[in-house]
Amino acid sequence: MKRTVEREIKLRAGDGFALPGDLGEPMDPRRFSSTYHDTPDHRLAASGFTLRYRSENGTGSWQLKLPHGGDRLELELPGPPEYVPQRFDDLVAATTRGRPLSPVATLDTLRQGVMVRDQGRDLAEVVVDEVTVTGHGAAIGRLEELEVELVEGDDDALRRIERALRAAGALDADERPKLFQALGLVRPPPRRPKRTAAPSEHLVAMLEQQYQTILVRDPGTRLGSDPEDLHQHRVAIRRLRALLRAARPMLDAGWVREVRAELSWAGRALGEVRDLDVLLDHLRSDSAALDDRERRSFDDLLEQLTARRAAARRTLLADLRLARYIRLLDRLEGELRAPPTIDRPVALREIAGAEHRRLRKQMRALGDQPADEELHAARIAVKRARYAAELAEGTVGRRAGRYIEAAKSLQDVLGEHQDATVAEQMIRDLLESRTDASVPAALAAGMLIERQRERRRDARRAVPAAWRRLEARARIWM
């Protein structure tokens, strides 16, 4: 499967616009046809995904585009136009959930443009697309788009080209994807309740945001090429679960219990692979300081961890294909926009304050030399307090934002401690599992264990100051 990260900007040719003659070298005009596929209710488009079959000069291929940070990841597979490749069907399964994918529009494009070059490098393509939109066999519209796509250039090159185009008369583009423009679709903006809105409106906006993040990150988790997708997928599930916990005074207790239990299962399904990603990245980084012989010996030990990660990923993919996961997504989609509330007015500030008081009680009970398990539990409590503050931020304002920043700092310190604790134990386990471990491997393991202990000591020393900063910011809840 071919993979390409698209970095581009879209503009619109204003009246009298013409590509500057000195911008680049003309490219041969191209004509191609793109048949877009979606569910009848355009679920892919609503999630920011694009699935199309593109044909040009008698050949064609399937393309799936997914959000990738501020860019787009384009995946390409060969195949006949009559059938969506099973791999692509699987990648978008969390969004389609069994709904059929079928053609919704065909866009016939004439593309003309120039290649911007500098010192022998192809920086970017600048193209003007003239598009005819066809639906159900009849032309239904036309559109034109000016696009700059990086080839070997960087963001500075992209900005320079954009300035030149705007100076020549280019205007802001319709930011909707071509399919949205072609079919006249409008993506509803995310909910942003006013500060004075009811607490339930702020809660629903936060819940829906996490649900949308799950959908957007799910294909990347299945694809497995960027660990950040799995990380953000898991974070959204955890944050959703924490928000429901914090909002318990506003919600039906039985409903919260049921949904949180299913979210807990989904989080565990993602958890082992994510934890192993963090651990492997951490150990590889630390082992870089070893000499070549010791590093090679330690890499032999890490092969066991890599194999364990591969097995955990197979389990993860099997869990994402279960009907249980699909039922959970259906439930979130249907119920988060109007969760069952109880007739009990509660201020979000009060919820955040109560969560901080629970955290304070836990932090004060730590003592001078808390156990590793106690610091791990404190980290969970900090995270809960942070998410409750995020829920209240829309009604409280900037001071809540400062509290959230301090909470994240303390969470990071405690997370560093937990990562080092887990890493030390894993190094020991790896060494003990290999009765044939070499002397260099044992020496490397010992050096890395000492590095983890040093990290734990540094983290423990940083906890009191980070906690004092958070306590000072907590006055907002008083």
Side-chain angles (χ1 to χ4, degrees):
M1 181 165 57
K2 182 181 176 181
R3 307 181 190 195
T4 307
V5 176
E6 289 186 338
R7 300 168 63 195
E8 62 186 16
I9 57 171
K10 295 182 184 294
L11 298 167
R12 176 169 56 87
D15 293 338
F17 171 83
L19 286 175
D22 59 351
L23 185 61
E25 299 178 17
M27 299 186 298
D28 292 335
R30 295 172 54 195
R31 291 185 181 274
F32 51 85
S33 178
S34 304
T35 299
Y36 287 73
H37 288 62
D38 208 331
T39 61
D41 53 353
H42 305 114
R43 297 175 70 85
L44 294 186
S47 292
F49 307 151
T50 297
L51 175 63
R52 68 192 180 196
Y53 186 84
R54 173 165 288 183
S55 58
E56 183 176 5
N57 297 327
T59 62
S61 61
W62 286 92
Q63 297 174 342
L64 175 63
K65 293 189 178 186
L66 305 170
H68 186 77
D71 303 317
R72 299 260 281 172
L73 175 64
E74 181 179 283
L75 309 173
E76 186 171 311
L77 281 172
E82 295 83 7
Y83 306 103
V84 176
Q86 185 62 49
R87 185 74 191 279
F88 284 174
D89 219 356
D90 289 342
L91 287 176
V92 297
T95 297
T96 59
R97 277 174 253 157
R99 295 167 177 82
L101 289 166
S102 58
V104 292
T106 296
L107 277 60
D108 294 310
T109 302
L110 169 61
R111 171 168 290 180
Q112 302 179 82
V114 299
M115 177 67 75
V116 181
R117 292 190 169 94
D118 181 47
Q119 298 181 353
R121 286 194 311 142
D122 294 343
L123 297 184
E125 290 184 357
V126 180
V127 299
V128 177
D129 287 345
E130 298 177 20
V131 182
T132 301
V133 183
T134 305
H136 304 291
I140 58 175
R142 298 180 66 86
L143 58 95
E144 187 173 285
E145 195 168 60
L146 173 61
E147 188 175 290
V148 185
E149 182 174 343
L150 286 179
V151 180
E152 299 178 69
D154 55 17
D155 289 338
D156 287 341
L158 196 63
R159 286 190 288 269
R160 287 198 305 272
I161 296 168
E162 180 182 3
R163 286 195 294 269
L165 293 173
R166 289 188 179 276
L171 304 174
D172 290 338
D174 186 330
E175 292 298 326
R176 294 176 298 165
K178 281 191 179 75
L179 181 60
F180 269 71
Q181 297 178 51
L183 299 180
L185 302 176
V186 177
R187 184 183 300 170
R191 295 187 193 226
R192 289 190 175 88
K194 295 181 179 179
R195 188 167 177 173
T196 55
S200 59
E201 291 187 41
H202 288 275
L203 173 63
V204 166
M206 289 287 289
L207 297 180
E208 288 192 331
Q209 181 183 350
Q210 308 318 311
Y211 167 70
Q212 290 299 328
T213 299
I214 292 170
L215 291 189
V216 169
R217 293 293 182 171
D218 181 281
T221 296
R222 295 171 190 258
L223 188 62
S225 59
D226 186 350
E228 187 64 15
D229 285 312
L230 171 58
H231 174 51
Q232 294 301 331
H233 190 173
R234 186 190 187 196
V235 165
I237 289 173
R238 285 182 158 187
R239 183 178 273 122
L240 184 51
R241 190 168 182 267
L243 289 170
L244 291 176
R245 178 185 181 277
R248 283 178 301 182
M250 303 165 55
L251 301 171
D252 177 79
W255 180 82
V256 169
R257 187 165 51 251
E258 289 177 7
V259 176
R260 290 188 76 243
E262 289 304 288
L263 288 168
S264 178
W265 167 79
R268 289 194 302 273
L270 305 180
E272 185 176 7
V273 176
R274 173 57 191 169
D275 290 342
L276 288 170
D277 280 343
V278 172
L279 183 58
L280 280 164
D281 185 64
H282 177 73
L283 292 178
R284 285 167 179 154
S285 176
D286 279 356
S287 67
L290 302 172
D291 65 34
D292 290 344
R293 185 184 179 195
E294 290 168 344
R295 186 172 62 253
R296 286 194 299 269
S297 299
F298 188 72
D299 285 345
D300 290 341
L301 296 180
L302 285 185
E303 287 182 5
Q304 300 173 64
L305 209 56
T306 303
R308 178 176 162 186
R309 194 261 182 200
R313 175 162 166 76
R314 288 192 293 271
T315 301
L316 177 154
L317 293 174
D319 286 340
L320 293 184
R321 296 187 183 106
L322 291 176
R324 182 177 184 180
Y325 179 63
I326 298 302
R327 285 196 301 269
L328 172 60
L329 295 179
D330 281 339
R331 185 167 193 178
L332 297 178
E333 180 177 340
E335 298 178 6
L336 291 186
R337 65 188 63 180
T341 57
I342 58 177
D343 187 16
R344 179 184 172 189
V346 180
L348 299 180
R349 179 194 292 266
E350 293 176 8
I351 290 175
E355 204 65 63
H356 182 82
R357 288 190 291 274
R358 281 190 282 270
L359 169 62
R360 177 187 293 140
K361 182 178 180 180
Q362 196 160 340
M363 292 297 294
R364 288 178 175 175
L366 287 178
D368 293 334
Q369 293 296 324
D372 294 338
E373 295 80 5
E374 291 177 311
L375 289 176
H376 180 50
R379 181 191 179 207
I380 294 172
V382 173
K383 192 182 300 185
R384 288 171 175 170
R386 173 190 163 193
Y387 291 159
E390 289 178 354
L391 177 60
E393 185 178 14
T395 63
V396 175
R398 292 181 180 177
R399 292 177 64 197
R402 290 193 285 271
Y403 176 91
I404 292 166
E405 289 174 3
K408 188 176 186 305
S409 295
L410 178 55
Q411 182 183 327
D412 288 345
V413 169
L414 293 170
E416 180 75 4
H417 182 275
Q418 177 64 12
D419 288 348
T421 302
V422 172
E424 178 180 342
Q425 187 58 52
M426 183 56 67
I427 295 169
R428 293 182 180 278
D429 292 345
L430 290 172
L431 194 60
E432 291 173 3
S433 68
R434 290 285 297 270
T435 56
D436 61 340
S438 65
V439 171
L443 289 173
M447 294 172 67
L448 293 180
I449 285 173
E450 181 53 38
R451 171 62 184 136
Q452 309 320 309
R453 291 180 174 179
E454 180 182 342
R455 289 177 64 211
R456 288 168 61 202
R457 288 192 293 268
D458 289 346
R460 282 174 176 265
R461 283 194 289 267
V463 167
W467 167 240
R468 286 194 296 272
R469 286 193 294 273
L470 182 58
E471 270 279 63
R473 303 278 173 86
R475 297 191 186 99
I476 186 175
W477 312 128
M478 308 307 174

